[in-house]
């Protein structure tokens, strides 16, 4: 499992690309890493690219714990922003929808998408040229 992080000040988007089955600790480490990045801004939008993720061993209680951890540790570090979760497979898509419900306690607008293009459109960025 890997979570690669890309902070793009030009688009104002932090992208997490996930492959394999991430653990609770790996999710938290990836989230924490954004605050260390020199180009990070509090108002940056977040894109979780989960198209290559495998959530077969991920429990819904873990999703709730992630949302609660973010609320407890980082709530004061966030400006209002958008968070897009992109999952093309049914299991991952469904669990992302569950996470979006748990994450309703956070100061962000969270949406779940099947394609990167749809997520980028929600952010208002074009993928052309």
């Amino acid at each position: 499992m890997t979570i690669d992080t890309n902070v793009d000040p030009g688009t104002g988007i932090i992208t997490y690309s996930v492959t394999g089955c991430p653990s609770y600790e790996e999710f938290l480490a990836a989230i924490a890493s954004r605050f260390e990045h020199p180009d990070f801004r509090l108002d940056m939008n977040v894109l979780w690219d989960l198209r290559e993720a495998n959530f077969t061993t991920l429990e819904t209680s873990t999703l709730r714990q992630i949302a609660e951890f973010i609320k407890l540790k980082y709530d004061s570090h966030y400006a209002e922003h958008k968070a897009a979760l992109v999952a093309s497979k049914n299991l991952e898509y469904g669990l992302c929808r569950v996470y979006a419900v748990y994450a309703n306690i956070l100061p962000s607008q969270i949406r779940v998408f099947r394609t990167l293009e749809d997520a980028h459109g929600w952010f208002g960025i074009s993928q052309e040229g």
Side-chain angles (χ1 to χ4, degrees), residues 20-94:
C21 191
S23 68
Y24 172 75
E25 292 79 12
E26 290 164 325
F27 273 120
L28 298 188
I31 292 164
S33 73
R34 82 176 75 169
F35 297 99
E36 311 273 327
H37 196 284
D39 292 327
F40 172 73
R41 297 185 322 263
L42 291 176
D43 65 341
M44 294 183 100
N45 293 319
V46 176
L47 172 67
W48 284 89
D49 182 354
L50 303 161
R51 295 171 300 156
E52 298 298 321
N54 178 338
F55 287 174
T56 55
T57 61
L58 189 64
E59 298 182 13
T60 56
S61 61
T62 301
L63 300 173
R64 183 181 53 21
Q65 290 172 331
I66 292 168
E68 289 172 349
F69 178 85
I70 294 169
K71 175 74 174 167
L72 178 68
K73 181 140 175 110
Y74 297 116
D75 193 41
S76 65
H77 298 308
Y78 282 108
E80 189 166 321
H81 67 281
K82 293 179 178 180
L85 311 174
V86 179
S88 55
K89 296 177 282 185
N90 290 339
L91 173 65
E92 288 71 19
Y93 182 84

